[in-house]
Each structure stands twice: as C-alpha cells, then as structure tokens.
Amino acid sequence: MNNDRDSRDDRITHAGSAEPTVGDWAPLPEHPAARTDRPSGSDGEKYRRARRRSRLAAGALMMGSGAAAVTLAYQLLPPATPPGGPVSSTGGVGTTTVTNTGTGPRVTHTVATTSASGVTTYTTTQVVNGKTVVTHVRHASTSTYHDD
Amino acid sequence: MTEVTTTAVWRPVDTGDTTIAVAERDALGTTARVAVWPPENLDRTLHVVDGVLMALDRQASRFRQDSEISRLHRKDGGTYMLSDGLAEAVNVALAAARWTRGLTDPTVGDALISLGYDRDFAALDPEARGPVAAATPAPGWRTVLLEGPVLRLPPGVRLDLGATAKGLGSDRAVRAAMSANQQGGGVLVSLGGDIAVDGQPPRDGWPILVADEPDPGGSARTQEVRLATGAVATSSIACRQWRRAGREMHHIVDPRTGLPADAPWRTVSVAAATCADANAASTAAVVAGDHAEDWLAQARVPARLVSRDGEVRYLGGWPASDGEPLVISSPGHVYGGASGPRAVR
C-alpha cells in the first residue's frame, strides 16, 4: 500500500503503523471452555443465531463507524473496582472516607517520587536489516539538564 | 561525556521493604519505576510494562522518526486511519483539552519546535544561539477532528501529547499489570513521576514522596503522602529548562501565546482518578498561572502548589502534613466516562 499518496483529497491514509487498526479487527474464536457451559443447540438454532449476529453487525455498520460503536460500548462500562480494594464513599471533595481492608502488606519506606523528574536518556532508533534497534544514550548529570 | 547502552534493563531498587518488589529503568526520556506486591509478580509485571512502554513510544513519540505520529506529521495534514493505541492517545489529549478549556492543547507541537524543543530533551543544546521564531498561538485543539480511529489533521498542525502521554502510559501499565497478574496483589507504576496505582494497595496506601526535584535530598519542600487508589502527577517549570538565543525556556507552553507559560507556580502536583487526568490537571494549573487555584477548585482535584519563592499551598483536600492519605473523590474526565484506558498497547 502506498502510504504517501496525497492525503488532502479526503481519502483516508494509514499512518503506517505496524499495529492492526480497528478496521483490521476480527472477532476472536470462542473459547472452548465457554462452549462447554452452553447447551449445544440444533443446527437450526445455530443458523438463526448466526443470522441474528449478522443482522446486528450490518446494523452497526449502517449506523456508522464500527469503531465508534466500540468506543461507546466501552464508555458505558462501569468504573472498575480493585478486588478486595479499599472501600470508599463519596460525599464531595475532602469528605470521602477510605476504609482499607488491610490485606495489603505494610510498607514503611517511600516507593516512588512525584516530581520534576531528571532526564536520564535520549533514544535513537534505526532500522537495521528490517529490525528496529533502539539505542539509549545517557548524559552525565549536569546542573542544566533536567526534565519534568 | 555520555554512557551508551543498547538495551533498557530493569534495575532492582531496594526501598527497605521486603514485602514489595521495586525496579526501574530508563524509558521515554525519563525513568520508569514499577512496584508490586507480592514480590513474585515482579517479572511478569515488568514484561507487560515493557510492552506498554514500547508501544506508547512507537505510537506517540514525536522524537522517533519511525513513530506513528511522526509519520503523520511528515504528511502535513490530511485524514488518517490511526492505530487503536494512537487513536486512544489523541482522544485522551483532546478530552484533556476540552476538560481544561484549552489550558492543555495537543496542537502546541509547532510552538515547542519553534522554541527549540525539537528533539529528545537530553539531546538539546542547552545554550543554542539560533534565533527563536516569532511565537504564535497554537492552532487550537478544535481544529483536530477524531472520529473513532479516523483523524483529520489540518496542514501545518503538529501534535504534542506531552500533557497526557506519560499519564496515559502509567494508566495503561497498571491496568495491563493487573490483568497479567489476574487481578492479584497491587501495582504502582511511575513514568517520570506521574504515578498510577491499581489493585490492592499496601496498608495505608503506597508511600510517595512529593518533591520539586528528582533528587530532592534534604529539601524542605518535600512531603510524603499515601496513595491507595487513582494517581498523582507533577508538572514543573523548574526542570526541562534550556536557553535559546539568550532566553530562558521551559517545556510547558501556553497554547494561547505559544511561549513558555509565565507561571507563578514552579511545581504543581495533582491527585486524580487516573494518571492522565492528574497529568493534564497539573500541566493546566501551571499554564493557568494566577488562575490556577480557581481552575483546580472547579476541577475538584486535590493539589499541592509550590510558588517560585517556595511557598507551598494545599487545595481540594490535599493533606498538609506528612504521611496522610490522598483522598480522590472526583471522577476521571479524559477517558470519556470510563475508569481508565482500554487494555491496549
């Protein structure tokens, strides 16, 4: 595919990523374990189920971008709660109470720092024999070089 | 004097607690740090965090010529089908711009380049004498249209996702780590000081140092807080400084002027439901300048501000004393109502 065609004529151009785009997505095969939990239907039922899925897919395409539909569905997911995590109740800023279930380890020393972080490296990337080679170069610390 | 390495190697970090495992490595031009419990989850966690960091770099680094975003910029305007990962990164940056009312804006890419920030920061000449191009306001995030994975970018607009990308990386990393560990234990990921946690925290939360500088030593402006859920991020004009044509520059650009933000606050730390939210809010507060406190109050996020003369101010329930928990009550904004990124790399 020629990725360098003029992109100002309203044609959609792929940026050239090696990753699959949404348009490349395909449904994953059903997990065998999931199949065993389900009563095996007759061929007619399977056919009707496939027809229903097909109609739903066609409807989604008619409604617009399939990716937009995926995004909307994803946005409807409720916020995830860590299993066994702290329980909180919200009563406005500064009034939330957090009750720790206390099953985590006791940690007494600082684990990380949030700050204007120091520059450590810069990275150069070359493609050699079809493989990407990443080189990190670390500068000796100076009083000038900092990073946020 | 430089030291050249060809691989990014995780280095174990001894924090003094044996109930957790901590490691760090260079990544994204800064330092990535991972802490997990139980310690036996470390190897698996580092593996998935590696994947997240590599993918984010390939998608969104404007310093890599082979990144997806650099390829977009070389085409100079048009309509593009993005990878799932870059689409999410751009979507988060645009959502952050909407939430901060343009105080953060991904279209500041050209302004940063004009100011001399045109390569990885460590490769900058800190005393470059070349002329500085006339500053112009950023084109504005509203000129960029994203519909699902389809991006329409006007000619001449270069994106810089710096206000959200590290936060997004931390959010992705903790989510991927918890998935790899089958939701067992807990994890903390810090990308250059933008920290997200997930899973079960240690008792009383993860102990985190809040500081102006990466190696604060005995600075009086440090504070220890405890983070049980969500994230914390810091933006500062005290670092990533360089000079261009005799003028002092820093990397937080005011989209309204195209110049480094003229901020009364040298460092702003924000706690939020997600790290991308915290990252965006702390950057927005620096850009907001004299209006930072008003904006943070409206955003309802706990914040700690350090003025240029060292005065520390606490807002929105940020604890004023050491060892207290950071309590986050406001929902996230930049993931469109979801609690975090999709499990994409």
Side-chain angles (χ1 to χ4, degrees), chain A residues 3 16 74 84 114 145 147-148, chain B residues 71 75 166 200 234 240 340:
Chain A
N3 288 333
Y74 144 74
T114 181
Y145 277 1
D147 157 15
D148 118 338
Chain B
R71 294 180 193 198
K75 294 176 194 295
K166 278 193 300 181
Q200 173 72 23
T234 296
R240 271 199 206 218

Side-chain angles (χ1 to χ4, degrees), chain A residues 38-134:
Chain A
R38 195 181 298 164
S40 58
S42 66
D43 287 348
E45 285 173 342
K46 287 176 183 169
Y47 175 73
R48 278 193 294 277
R49 201 177 301 136
R51 282 287 302 271
R52 198 179 310 130
R53 271 203 294 262
S54 175
R55 281 199 301 272
L56 285 171
L61 286 171
M62 287 167 65
M63 289 293 289
S65 159
V70 168
T71 302
L72 286 170
Y74 144 74
Q75 288 173 351
L76 291 174
L77 290 174
T81 305
V87 179
S88 66
S89 60
T90 304
V93 173
T95 61
T96 297
T97 55
V98 174
T99 309
N100 200 311
T101 54
T103 57
R106 186 173 299 282
V107 178
T108 56
H109 297 82
T110 300
V111 171
T113 301
T114 181
S115 70
S117 57
V119 158
T120 55
T121 62
Y122 75 89
T123 304
T124 56
T125 307
Q126 300 169 289
V127 178
V128 179
N129 295 331
K131 291 188 174 180
T132 301
V133 177
V134 180

